[in-house]
Amino acid sequence: MTFFSDLVRCETRLYNALNDQMRDRHGIAASQFEFLRYLRDHPGARVGDLAGFFAIGVGATSKGMDRLEGRGLVRRIPNPADRRSSLLELTDAGTELVNDAEKTFATISGLVQAALDPEQLQATAQALRRLRVALEHDKIGTPVG
């Protein structure tokens, strides 16, 4: 229980710190930054791709894209392989914003680096990666629908 509690409390505090910094410096939430970064790094992604990666519902992901599209940061383009879906791409403004916000993200990740020595950081990263792969493989925590 201590491991789980520590893991969740660390994630919550780091995510809250990131959210505060993103809102203050860039006018976006941490979740919006994550969506924008995913789209930058995965051109031509669909809503379902983001939902799967972030383990959240398709409806919530679509609403998130609606908000980003409304701000002129993302656009939907017809999917030539499937007329029922759209591909998502960053606008120039979205690309500029996510690249600028990446610098803010680096300051938050610096908090982790300051608390752990390089060996601890590497061991923690490897352990979390293994845990994540196992959870994803077994589809644990994947929303239905």
Side-chain angles (χ1 to χ4, degrees), residues 57-73:
V58 171
T61 306
S62 185
K63 286 180 185 177
M65 289 304 104
D66 290 344
R67 288 183 190 101
L68 292 172
E69 188 176 29
R71 291 189 56 189
L73 302 173

Side-chain angles (χ1 to χ4, degrees), residues 13 36 52 84 108-109:
R13 289 179 182 277
L36 293 171
R84 296 171 295 157
I108 297 299
S109 62

Side-chain angles (χ1 to χ4, degrees), residues 6-69:
D6 288 343
L7 179 64
V8 171
R9 299 296 86 70
C10 287
E11 185 277 338
T12 300
R13 289 179 182 277
L14 288 169
Y15 205 81
N16 288 346
L18 177 63
N19 197 56
D20 291 345
Q21 291 292 326
M22 288 295 163
R23 285 193 187 282
D24 290 348
R25 295 181 184 177
H26 309 286
I28 58 173
S31 59
Q32 292 173 314
F33 166 70
E34 289 192 278
F35 282 162
L36 293 171
R37 187 167 59 165
Y38 184 91
L39 292 174
R40 180 196 62 198
D41 297 343
H42 301 88
R46 298 168 301 130
V47 166
D49 299 327
L50 277 90
F53 181 79
F54 292 108
I56 57 177
V58 171
T61 306
S62 185
K63 286 180 185 177
M65 289 304 104
D66 290 344
R67 288 183 190 101
L68 292 172
E69 188 176 29

